[in-house]
Amino acid sequence: MLCVNTSFVPISFSSSKLRTPISCTLPGTVAAAEPLLLNAVRGVDVERPPVWLMRQAGRYMKSYQTICEKYPSFRERSENVDLVVEISLQPWHVFKPDGVILFSDILTPLSGMNIPFDIVKGKGPVIFDPIHTAAQVNEVREFIPEDSVPYVGEALTILRKEVDHKAAVLGFVGAPFTLASYVVEGGSSKNFSKIKRLAFSESKILHSLLQKFTTSMARYIQYQADNGAQAVQIFDSWATELSPVDFEEFSLPYLKQIIDTVKKSHPKLPLILYASGSGGLLERLALTGVDVVSLDWTVDMADGRRRLGPNIAVQGNVDPGVLFGSKDFITDRINDTVRKAGRGKHILNLGHGIKVGTPEENVAHFFEVAKSIRY
Ligand code: CP3
């Protein structure tokens, strides 16, 4: 389709020199300068699926381990603009993924909401004063990103300049139920007994906490988009601990509220939803109004695609364990996933984050094979 540019700037000039790409105004089309990932999500005909990996910056990379030796505090690594930019760009420099995700954590907003926390090596997230009472929920402050996490906006702005339309810059937030699970349990949990006790005996308290996270995360997505994020992933990693009927009460309405709010202010911003182990909930995830559902590997991609319908794009869904396999096995699994996802509206990714100990050369192989695919 021909894109007529009335300002007489050569189209080839647009991607490198202008901050905003020249875009076609024809409905349903996107300028050629748009990153592949955005085109794929919007249903534009693309030659291959875009690819990025969850946790693509992290401990499996030697260069990240080196930074960790110099800066042992996760909070420092994720709250200092220079470090955030450097770490986010580590996989970009090596693998050239089609999406560059901000290095941060879903828990990063908590201190700005008056919920002190840390991420401790070998232990994971620690919430110092887990929330169980209405009085504690009252103390939770509304999140004002520009005041509490200005380094996130600054880092995203720099990432946009560095990546320069060659890939999409991705932001992310935690979903209300998943954030609540950390702050009620006090950290990672195996049986989620504390949050279930709250949900099933004092649901009003949990609902008021979920509402605070909902308002705050909608605002956080808007802030990330205003500062350079071109798509935002919502992690509801632990929503699948809920049975479907409880998901409908404690997660779905809040996800929907976030998505409705963001769609009003940022109608073109693609939103991706990830829940680990979501096979039993796929149709319900689609009800949130999200643009992309990120599938874990317990669902066959062909089944996932069919169950979600033609309007929703899919992301995933290679088992992260495949990256411990032989190169031939990795190649076969990528091809199988891409074939089952069908042409377009697919972002190739893992079904969850890369695991510690994954050989970097296998990650390199994954990207090489993925980027050589042509529909
Ligand atoms: O994907 C990316 O590359 C961006 C970085 C990112 C991190 N955390 C960095 C991180 C993202 C997207 C997250 C999201 C996140 N954080 C989720 C949702 C995704 C998922 O895994 O389901 C969750 C549940 C958290 C909470 C969290 N943060 C946990 C459970 C842990 C401990 C994990 C462990 O293996 O120790 C963290 C710490 C964390 N966040 C690490 C990284 C790279 C590992 C610690 C470190 O590098 O020092």
Side-chain angles (χ1 to χ4, degrees), residues 55-57 59 64 74 77 101 104-105 182 235 237 352:
R55 293 274 168 99
Q56 65 190 11
R59 287 169 294 182
Y64 179 72
F74 183 89
R77 292 196 294 282
I101 187 163
S104 184
D105 200 88
Y182 282 101
F235 284 97
S237 302
H352 203 167

Side-chain angles (χ1 to χ4, degrees), residues 186-197:
S188 298
S189 178
K190 280 208 171 69
N191 52 19
F192 295 83
S193 54
K194 296 191 179 83
I195 193 160
K196 293 212 173 165
R197 190 198 65 77

